[in-house]
């Protein structure tokens, strides 16, 4: 099931959400070659992606991780490595990766921004992304595998949405062979189901040498970002905006919770 929209109108244009989506898209096209140039994609992931073992110094310098035909990411000690917890948030590994992240951010980000205000939301997004990166590093501090994606920060946004609007209906696109349906579900069902999947997927990785590479997805970054969103949302929330939004939503959807 894929979220495509929610019954949660905004009071103001979500400028920061749009700008972040634009930055993610521009990075994918102009830095990563839109996935069409294997060398550009591999170089961006290797040089700007977060490598836990480079941050902690626990990965052996010179160790090479294959990234494709004739391509490998070699562990180094370049100064840029200390900035990769931020740069990695704007990188992705494929079209499916970036489109999936942007869709989730499109559905949930505008409402959280509208409940915090633009500057608070930007800071919240970055902090959740850093918390997500920290979670993955803690799980496997010696990993030589690059981690990229906005999903850690977006997971924080989803955690915030769960606290702020647990009963709002999220329209889920359900596809099963030839059956296609749009099913409205409460946000708490959608988000707790998603979070549960991340935890279930991540548990086996705790017993692996390479936690980032077990499923190809750094799910503990998702878990860390989501938990950060749950914990920090009330610190960043603008209660006046949330109250106004709730009243506006009830006027537009009087039959909805």
């Amino acid at each position: 099931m894929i979220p495509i929209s929610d019954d949660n109108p905004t009071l103001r244009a979500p400028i920061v959400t749009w700008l972040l989506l634009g930055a993610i898209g521009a990075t994918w096209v102009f830095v990563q070659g839109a996935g069409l140039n294997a060398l550009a994609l591999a170089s961006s992931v290797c040089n700007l992606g977060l490598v836990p073992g480079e941050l902690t110094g626990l990965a052996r310098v010179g160790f090479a991780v294959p990234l494709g035909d004739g391509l490998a990411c070699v562990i180094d000690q370049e100064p840029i490595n200390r900035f990769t917890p931020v740069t990695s948030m704007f990188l992705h590994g494929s079209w499916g990766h970036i489109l999936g992240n942007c869709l989730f951010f499109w559905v949930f980000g505008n409402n959280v921004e509208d409940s915090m205000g633009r500057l608070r939301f930007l800071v919240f997004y970055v902090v959740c992304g850093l918390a997500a990166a920290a979670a993955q590093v803690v799980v496997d501090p010696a990993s030589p595998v690059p981690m990229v994606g906005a999903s850690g920060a977006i997971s924080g946004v989803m955690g915030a949405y769960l606290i702020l609007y647990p009963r709002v209906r999220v329209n889920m696109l359900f596809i099963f062979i030839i059956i296609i349906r749009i099913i409205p579900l409460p946000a708490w069902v959608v988000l707790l189901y998603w979070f549960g999947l991340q935890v279930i997927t991540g548990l086996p990785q705790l017993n692996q040498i390479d936690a980032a590479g077990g499923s190809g997805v750094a799910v503990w970054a998702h878990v860390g970002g989501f938990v950060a969103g749950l914990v920090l949302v009330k610190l960043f929330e603008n209660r006046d905006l949330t109250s106004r939004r709730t009243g506006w939503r009830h006027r537009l959807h009087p039959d909805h919770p």
Side-chain angles (χ1 to χ4, degrees):
M1 294 194 294
I2 305 169
I4 56 175
S5 66
D6 62 3
D7 295 337
N8 204 1
T10 55
L11 295 171
R12 303 189 303 172
I15 301 297
V16 172
T17 298
W18 293 345
L19 289 175
L20 286 170
L21 286 169
I24 291 169
T27 301
W28 175 245
V29 172
F30 297 111
V31 176
Q32 300 191 272
L36 302 176
N37 184 320
L39 180 58
L41 180 60
S43 296
S44 64
V45 169
C46 180
N47 297 325
L48 300 176
L50 187 157
V51 180
E54 286 184 336
L55 284 179
T56 62
L58 296 177
R60 177 170 56 84
V61 174
F63 182 83
V65 177
L67 293 182
D69 293 338
L71 298 171
C73 183
V74 179
I75 299 297
D76 59 39
Q77 295 178 321
E78 296 295 325
I80 189 65
N81 294 344
R82 70 189 67 174
F83 300 106
T84 56
V86 174
T87 58
S88 62
M89 295 184 205
F90 296 91
L91 302 171
H92 290 83
S94 67
W95 274 105
H97 190 197
I98 187 173
L99 291 177
N101 277 348
C102 287
L103 176 59
F104 273 76
F105 193 38
W106 176 259
V107 172
F108 298 108
N110 58 348
N111 298 289
V112 177
E113 176 183 345
D114 210 31
S115 302
M116 294 182 176
R118 290 163 182 155
L119 181 58
R120 287 187 186 187
F121 177 69
L122 178 60
V123 175
F124 174 81
Y125 179 90
V126 173
V127 170
C128 286
L130 293 175
Q136 191 65 41
V137 172
V138 168
V139 168
D140 192 0
S143 173
V145 180
M147 182 181 78
V148 297
S151 51
I154 296 170
S155 298
V157 172
M158 294 164 65
Y161 195 105
L162 175 61
I163 296 297
L164 294 172
Y165 306 109
R167 300 173 65 192
V168 167
R169 295 183 185 179
V170 178
N171 299 309
M172 305 294 293
L173 178 63
F174 176 81
I175 302 175
F176 181 72
I177 308 177
I178 61 172
I179 301 174
I180 301 176
R181 295 285 188 275
I182 295 178
I183 305 174
L185 295 172
W188 69 267
V189 173
V190 173
L191 295 171
L192 288 180
Y193 173 75
W194 178 88
F195 181 70
L197 285 180
Q198 308 310 304
V199 174
I200 291 171
T201 302
L203 287 176
Q205 294 183 10
L206 295 177
N207 296 320
Q208 295 176 0
I209 295 176
D210 173 20
S215 67
V217 179
V219 292
W220 287 106
H222 299 173
V223 172
F226 193 90
V227 171
L230 291 175
V231 171
L232 296 175
V233 58
K234 289 301 180 180
L235 179 63
F236 286 87
E237 176 193 11
N238 183 320
R239 294 184 180 180
D240 179 60
L241 288 176
T242 303
S243 177
R244 288 165 54 194
R245 281 176 45 77
T246 300
W248 176 245
R249 187 179 72 251
H250 287 166
R251 285 193 293 272
L252 291 179
H253 303 287
D255 298 329
H256 291 188

